[in-house]
Each structure stands twice: as structure tokens, then as C-alpha cells.
């Protein structure tokens, strides 16, 4: 099975946790629940997402939950009221 590399996880977390255009902290918490991931708690958004991704991939020995988080985060329906995002 293929895993995301550390660099890939950092890049994905950086894009999704971007301070200006990325997800909000409440959205991140919701997505962790939806993807059945452990929320590492309050910290910078990109670090929070990266830590959750790394923990999930390392403990579950697959990238399924990381992919689910990304799929949910990138769903066009999520942004129908905020198309600029």
C-alpha cells in the first residue's frame, strides 16, 4: 500500500490550513470527525492538520482517512455559498 510522504503531507496540510484561504478551525474539527481522525488540539492550522494526518497514517497503516478528509474538504458543495473559497 502506498503512503503519503512527509513532504506530501506537509504540502497538503499547508494548502488546506492556509491562514487566508484555507479551512477555518471549526471546519477542520468537523472534517476530523467526518474522516474519523483524532484532533491533536489547538495549534497552528497547518500543523494541526499535518499532525492528524501523520498520526492517522502511522497508526492505521493506511491513508484512507487522510484521503477522506481531503475529499470532504474539497467537496464543491461545501463552498456553494462561498465560491471565492
Amino acid at each position: 500500500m502506498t503512503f503519503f510522504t512527509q513532504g506530501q503531507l506537509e504540502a497538503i496540510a499547508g494548502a488546506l490550513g492556509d491562514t487566508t484561504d484555507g479551512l477555518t478551525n471549526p471546519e477542520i474539527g468537523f472534517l476530523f470527525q467526518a474522516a474519523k481522525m483524532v484532533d491533536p488540539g489547538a495549534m497552528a492550522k497547518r500543523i494541526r492538520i499535518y499532525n492528524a494526518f501523520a498520526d492517522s497514517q502511522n497508526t492505521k497503516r493506511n491513508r484512507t482517512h487522510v484521503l477522506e478528509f481531503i475529499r470532504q474538504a474539497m467537496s464543491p458543495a461545501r463552498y456553494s455559498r462561498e465560491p471565492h473559497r
Side-chain angles (χ1 to χ4, degrees), residues 1 7 16 21-22 29 36 40 43-44 48 50 63 71 80 85:
M1 170 161 303
L16 293 174
D21 297 321
K36 298 181 173 108
M43 58 189 72
R48 180 180 175 198
Y50 171 79
R63 61 185 192 169
R71 187 182 71 75
S80 62
R85 289 185 67 205

Side-chain angles (χ1 to χ4, degrees), residues 8 14 24 36 38 40 49 53 57 67 72 76 83-84:
Q8 289 170 326
T24 65
K36 298 181 173 108
V38 175
I49 294 169
F53 283 0
Q57 186 170 267
L67 290 169
Q72 292 276 338
H84 63 281

